[in-house]
Amino acid sequence: MAETRKLAAILAADVVGYSRLASTDEDRTLARLRALRSDLIDPAIAVHNGRVVKRMGDGILIEFRSVVEAVRCAIEVQNGMVERNAGLPSERRIVFRVAFILVTWWWRATGI
């Protein structure tokens, strides 16, 4: 079985205090996250040539071919969040925690 090695930058992000936000107002929190994904996050991923590897609840793993593009995407999203959180009380703000991982992946015909 042929294998291909691939260098990738992975952006991992989740919402700080998601359980607290959801326990206060789950419907509003989920609606805001859906809107953020469609209006801010997904477009930023596309502009920076990212590929969503996995979404899980309030978290996401995104693959980029370049560390620079991963960081630019994160900066764009974080700057957008400053605008969207302006005027909201701190307990209602959505804040993303972001980490970057540089990995070599081995791809096979059956997946990672």
Side-chain angles (χ1 to χ4, degrees), residues 5-17:
R5 287 172 48 154
K6 182 177 180 181
L7 184 64
I10 304 296
L11 185 156
D14 72 336
V15 175
V16 175

PDB file of all heavy atoms in Angstrom, residues 5-17:
ATOM      1  N   ARG A   5       3.932  11.113   2.513  1.00  0.00           N
ATOM      2  CA  ARG A   5       4.186  11.967   3.675  1.00  0.00           C
ATOM      3  C   ARG A   5       3.788  13.388   3.326  1.00  0.00           C
ATOM      4  O   ARG A   5       3.993  13.848   2.210  1.00  0.00           O
ATOM      5  CB  ARG A   5       5.656  11.920   4.065  1.00  0.00           C
ATOM      6  CG  ARG A   5       6.018  10.624   4.706  1.00  0.00           C
ATOM      7  CD  ARG A   5       7.487  10.482   4.933  1.00  0.00           C
ATOM      8  NE  ARG A   5       8.089  11.635   5.551  1.00  0.00           N
ATOM      9  CZ  ARG A   5       9.188  11.592   6.270  1.00  0.00           C
ATOM     10  NH1 ARG A   5       9.797  10.456   6.462  1.00  0.00           N
ATOM     11  NH2 ARG A   5       9.710  12.682   6.785  1.00  0.00           N
ATOM     12  N   LYS A   6       3.238  14.070   4.303  1.00  0.00           N
ATOM     13  CA  LYS A   6       2.732  15.416   4.060  1.00  0.00           C
ATOM     14  C   LYS A   6       2.995  16.276   5.292  1.00  0.00           C
ATOM     15  O   LYS A   6       2.628  15.899   6.415  1.00  0.00           O
ATOM     16  CB  LYS A   6       1.232  15.317   3.786  1.00  0.00           C
ATOM     17  CG  LYS A   6       0.560  16.605   3.474  1.00  0.00           C
ATOM     18  CD  LYS A   6      -0.903  16.323   3.154  1.00  0.00           C
ATOM     19  CE  LYS A   6      -1.638  17.577   2.843  1.00  0.00           C
ATOM     20  NZ  LYS A   6      -3.034  17.340   2.548  1.00  0.00           N
ATOM     21  N   LEU A   7       3.634  17.430   5.103  1.00  0.00           N
ATOM     22  CA  LEU A   7       3.845  18.381   6.180  1.00  0.00           C
ATOM     23  C   LEU A   7       2.627  19.298   6.234  1.00  0.00           C
ATOM     24  O   LEU A   7       2.164  19.790   5.204  1.00  0.00           O
ATOM     25  CB  LEU A   7       5.096  19.210   5.926  1.00  0.00           C
ATOM     26  CG  LEU A   7       5.493  20.193   7.024  1.00  0.00           C
ATOM     27  CD1 LEU A   7       5.853  19.435   8.299  1.00  0.00           C
ATOM     28  CD2 LEU A   7       6.657  21.049   6.566  1.00  0.00           C
ATOM     29  N   ALA A   8       2.081  19.500   7.425  1.00  0.00           N
ATOM     30  CA  ALA A   8       0.878  20.322   7.548  1.00  0.00           C
ATOM     31  C   ALA A   8       0.932  21.145   8.827  1.00  0.00           C
ATOM     32  O   ALA A   8       1.516  20.736   9.826  1.00  0.00           O
ATOM     33  CB  ALA A   8      -0.360  19.438   7.559  1.00  0.00           C
ATOM     34  N   ALA A   9       0.312  22.299   8.771  1.00  0.00           N
ATOM     35  CA  ALA A   9       0.099  23.118   9.964  1.00  0.00           C
ATOM     36  C   ALA A   9      -1.358  22.903  10.378  1.00  0.00           C
ATOM     37  O   ALA A   9      -2.263  23.051   9.567  1.00  0.00           O
ATOM     38  CB  ALA A   9       0.349  24.591   9.648  1.00  0.00           C
ATOM     39  N   ILE A  10      -1.548  22.520  11.615  1.00  0.00           N
ATOM     40  CA  ILE A  10      -2.895  22.291  12.135  1.00  0.00           C
ATOM     41  C   ILE A  10      -3.244  23.408  13.104  1.00  0.00           C
ATOM     42  O   ILE A  10      -2.470  23.716  14.018  1.00  0.00           O
ATOM     43  CB  ILE A  10      -2.990  20.930  12.876  1.00  0.00           C
ATOM     44  CG1 ILE A  10      -2.550  19.781  11.969  1.00  0.00           C
ATOM     45  CG2 ILE A  10      -4.390  20.711  13.433  1.00  0.00           C
ATOM     46  CD1 ILE A  10      -3.423  19.573  10.756  1.00  0.00           C
ATOM     47  N   LEU A  11      -4.398  24.008  12.889  1.00  0.00           N
ATOM     48  CA  LEU A  11      -4.935  25.001  13.812  1.00  0.00           C
ATOM     49  C   LEU A  11      -6.030  24.290  14.609  1.00  0.00           C
ATOM     50  O   LEU A  11      -6.945  23.709  14.018  1.00  0.00           O
ATOM     51  CB  LEU A  11      -5.511  26.181  13.031  1.00  0.00           C
ATOM     52  CG  LEU A  11      -6.026  27.377  13.820  1.00  0.00           C
ATOM     53  CD1 LEU A  11      -5.999  28.618  12.940  1.00  0.00           C
ATOM     54  CD2 LEU A  11      -7.404  27.179  14.387  1.00  0.00           C
ATOM     55  N   ALA A  12      -5.878  24.292  15.911  1.00  0.00           N
ATOM     56  CA  ALA A  12      -6.890  23.714  16.795  1.00  0.00           C
ATOM     57  C   ALA A  12      -7.503  24.858  17.588  1.00  0.00           C
ATOM     58  O   ALA A  12      -6.784  25.701  18.122  1.00  0.00           O
ATOM     59  CB  ALA A  12      -6.256  22.701  17.743  1.00  0.00           C
ATOM     60  N   ALA A  13      -8.828  24.912  17.640  1.00  0.00           N
ATOM     61  CA  ALA A  13      -9.493  26.002  18.354  1.00  0.00           C
ATOM     62  C   ALA A  13     -10.740  25.486  19.057  1.00  0.00           C
ATOM     63  O   ALA A  13     -11.376  24.538  18.593  1.00  0.00           O
ATOM     64  CB  ALA A  13      -9.875  27.124  17.386  1.00  0.00           C
ATOM     65  N   ASP A  14     -11.042  26.115  20.178  1.00  0.00           N
ATOM     66  CA  ASP A  14     -12.304  25.848  20.864  1.00  0.00           C
ATOM     67  C   ASP A  14     -12.722  27.104  21.607  1.00  0.00           C
ATOM     68  O   ASP A  14     -11.989  28.085  21.663  1.00  0.00           O
ATOM     69  CB  ASP A  14     -12.201  24.633  21.794  1.00  0.00           C
ATOM     70  CG  ASP A  14     -11.373  24.896  23.038  1.00  0.00           C
ATOM     71  OD1 ASP A  14     -10.512  25.802  23.026  1.00  0.00           O
ATOM     72  OD2 ASP A  14     -11.583  24.202  24.047  1.00  0.00           O
ATOM     73  N   VAL A  15     -13.926  27.071  22.166  1.00  0.00           N
ATOM     74  CA  VAL A  15     -14.486  28.236  22.858  1.00  0.00           C
ATOM     75  C   VAL A  15     -14.129  28.151  24.338  1.00  0.00           C
ATOM     76  O   VAL A  15     -14.397  27.143  24.996  1.00  0.00           O
ATOM     77  CB  VAL A  15     -16.014  28.296  22.684  1.00  0.00           C
ATOM     78  CG1 VAL A  15     -16.609  29.441  23.494  1.00  0.00           C
ATOM     79  CG2 VAL A  15     -16.376  28.442  21.212  1.00  0.00           C
ATOM     80  N   VAL A  16     -13.536  29.221  24.849  1.00  0.00           N
ATOM     81  CA  VAL A  16     -13.229  29.315  26.278  1.00  0.00           C
ATOM     82  C   VAL A  16     -14.550  29.437  27.039  1.00  0.00           C
ATOM     83  O   VAL A  16     -15.394  30.267  26.698  1.00  0.00           O
ATOM     84  CB  VAL A  16     -12.346  30.557  26.567  1.00  0.00           C
ATOM     85  CG1 VAL A  16     -12.122  30.723  28.063  1.00  0.00           C
ATOM     86  CG2 VAL A  16     -11.021  30.452  25.826  1.00  0.00           C
ATOM     87  N   GLY A  17     -14.748  28.588  28.033  1.00  0.00           N
ATOM     88  CA  GLY A  17     -15.946  28.670  28.862  1.00  0.00           C
ATOM     89  C   GLY A  17     -17.224  28.260  28.153  1.00  0.00           C
ATOM     90  O   GLY A  17     -18.316  28.723  28.516  1.00  0.00           O
TER      91      GLY A  17
END
